[in-house]
Amino acid sequence: MRGDLERVLFDEPAIHRRLDEIAAEISNDYRDRELTVIAVLHGSLMFVADLLRRIPLPLKLDCLSAASYHGNAQTSGEVIFKLATASPSGGGQIALPDVAGRDILILDDILDSGHTLAAIREALETAKPRSIRVCVLLSKKKRRSREVDTDYVGFEIEDEFVVGYGLDFRERYRNLPYIGVLRRDLLEQRVK
Ligand code: IMP
Ligand code: MG
């Protein structure tokens, strides 16, 4: 898989050093409150697992899954939600985690066009939480289709397609322990 990358951007020690810093910041900011973390699957899986183990506070974890890519490297603008833990009483309905009155921290892998996080934030706001903050591992420096305020950002990157450490291209590369830029020729192979 390493051969499919143009270059590595952040190796494992660099990611972990940055997680130590963000976790310390979050732990300090929420020291007197009980946090509810909403993880956006699947891309944030590694990030959430490694970050939360560095936060020594009582917290709850819920997961949502959202997709706006449909297998291409360009966002389609349409965001589809699925609840990771389907509730039997929900009768297959799309429901949001119970966030009323709680301090919510949304964790996502990467902020690109902004469609996904803006839609998730909007949906969670309807459930009347006490506060909402957003934490992303990566943020692309670019003009976004929708502005999203972020409270914690791991790394700012150029507008390039990256994979690894949870991030995929057509569901592959998530298990790479580091983050790198995918080779352009692989990215340009379109789904038939
Ligand atoms: P947005 O809605 O365009 O901000 O896209 C956010 C979602 O698209 C992320 O949660 C990722 O799943 C995916 N995404 C955006 N950029 C990349 C990338 O460079 N590599 C892998 N996935 C990406
Ligand atoms: Mg993806």
Side-chain angles (χ1 to χ4, degrees):
M1 285 193 293
R2 173 64 185 89
D4 289 358
L5 299 187
E6 201 172 284
R7 62 186 194 285
V8 172
L9 285 182
F10 307 107
D11 62 12
E12 248 184 305
I15 294 170
H16 290 164
R17 276 197 303 274
R18 187 67 188 121
L19 293 189
D20 286 341
E21 294 171 355
I22 305 174
E25 228 183 295
I26 293 171
S27 305
N28 184 52
D29 292 351
Y30 288 91
R31 61 191 179 281
D32 302 318
R33 295 189 268 170
E34 201 197 47
L35 195 54
T36 299
V37 173
I38 309 279
V40 184
L41 298 180
H42 305 328
S44 70
L45 207 49
M46 316 286 168
F47 176 43
V48 169
D50 286 343
L51 184 73
L52 294 192
R53 280 180 291 180
R54 289 170 162 78
I55 301 179
L57 295 178
L59 58 78
K60 290 187 181 179
L61 172 62
D62 236 310
C63 301
L64 300 171
S65 100
S68 67
Y69 263 44
H70 313 300
N72 287 322
Q74 289 294 308
T75 185
S76 66
E78 177 202 359
V79 178
I80 296 166
F81 289 104
K82 278 182 286 176
L83 196 65
T85 44
S87 103
S89 57
Q93 292 276 60
I94 294 174
L96 288 166
D98 181 20
V99 300
R102 302 192 57 87
D103 291 304
I104 304 304
L105 180 64
I106 303 171
L107 291 189
D108 203 358
D109 53 356
I110 188 165
L111 177 58
D112 182 18
S113 72
H115 280 297
T116 306
L117 274 171
I120 289 173
R121 198 190 176 120
E122 236 167 49
L124 290 174
E125 262 159 13
T126 63
K128 303 261 181 289
R130 185 159 89 143
S131 69
I132 296 191
R133 286 188 180 186
V134 173
C135 172
V136 290
L137 178 63
L138 303 170
S139 172
K140 289 189 190 175
K141 290 185 233 164
K142 66 189 285 189
R143 178 184 287 274
R144 302 194 203 290
S145 314
R146 297 194 63 183
E147 269 319 307
V148 176
D149 290 331
T150 48
D151 300 281
Y152 310 95
V153 174
F155 304 99
E156 292 222 323
I157 62 168
E158 298 304 322
D159 189 9
E160 294 179 299
F161 198 84
V162 294
V163 294
Y165 195 68
L167 289 140
D168 74 303
F169 177 57
R170 295 182 194 150
E171 299 306 326
R172 288 181 59 212
Y173 309 104
R174 292 195 198 274
N175 55 325
L176 282 176
Y178 45 82
I179 296 167
V181 177
L182 189 65
R183 266 174 30 211
R184 201 169 291 259
D185 60 304
L186 294 171
L187 199 56
E188 280 161 5
Q189 288 168 14
R190 300 241 140 224
V191 198
K192 310 272 174 325

